[in-house]
Amino acid sequence: MIEDTFRHKGLRKKLVEEVRRKGIRDEKVLDALNKVARHLFMETGFINFAYKDQAFPIGAGQTISQPYTVAFQTELLEVEEHDKILEIGTGSGYQAAILLELGARVYTIERQKKLYLKTRKLLTDLGYKPHFFYGDGFEGLPAYSPFDKILITAATSEIPEKLLQQLKIGGRIVLPLGGSFTQVMTTVIKKGEDEFKKSSHGFFVFVPLLKGTANDNN
Ligand code: SAH
């Protein structure tokens, strides 16, 4: 049931204030957070938790990221209207919806078939229209490159080389870089064909970026 009640909207406003208190300053990002009905992206049993600033399971062993984390990554991405953005890890589709609310053109890849199908339907039903791809994010989308921005929403211990190649000069990639227990939020700006500037932005915990695709729940 697609319903966004007064109560949901009220809870969402509180969530936005909580995320603001935690340090997110970009009003456009906060606005986008206020617009996306997060409860619609979660399993029914979790709807009462949708407006807590926490990550939650979305099935297939995956999670919908914590709103603060989504806001943090989005802020680092410095989204401009009409930016062409590649998202690795569609997951619940929540992050993609936030990017779309900011006026970006979104290309999103998911490696799990079931999740890809489920989220494609949900976002379409909600009126969000990213370009959906089932595939391995490590490969990116060479046919659609270059991108203004790339957002990786799963943990990786190295920056995927192919993704750096698919970035425009002047573009940036935001990713949680590190092992399976904890990662450092990292921004890489592409200064020239072979010139990159990296900066670090604190510790986070994400599910791992896995190689290849899956047709089942692995
Ligand atoms: N952006 C998502 C976060 C999902 S968690 C959201 O807003 O809900 C990370 C997602 O990345 C999972 O759905 C996982 O299946 C997916 N993933 C992991 N490795 C991947 C890969 N190599 N390519 C594409 N997606 C991948």
Side-chain angles (χ1 to χ4, degrees), residues 189-204:
I189 298 177
K190 186 167 179 173
K191 294 282 193 186
E193 220 33 82
D194 286 308
E195 197 194 339
F196 298 95
K197 191 178 154 226
K198 197 167 135 187
S199 55
S200 304
H201 308 272
F203 292 95
F204 288 83

Side-chain angles (χ1 to χ4, degrees), residues 62-63 87 89-92 95 110-111 115 136-137 153 209-210:
Q62 300 304 322
T63 53
E87 180 195 23
T90 312
S92 69
Q95 172 75 72
E110 173 55 55
R111 73 179 285 280
L115 207 48
D136 180 1
T153 67
L209 190 67
L210 301 171

Side-chain angles (χ1 to χ4, degrees), residues 5 7-8 11 38-40 42-54 56:
T5 64
R7 184 170 155 259
H8 290 124
L11 290 172
R38 187 170 188 253
H39 64 281
L40 301 176
M42 299 169 62
E43 302 285 311
T44 30
F46 292 118
I47 281 186
N48 286 331
F49 299 99
Y51 294 108
K52 287 195 197 305
D53 189 26
Q54 286 173 11
F56 274 102

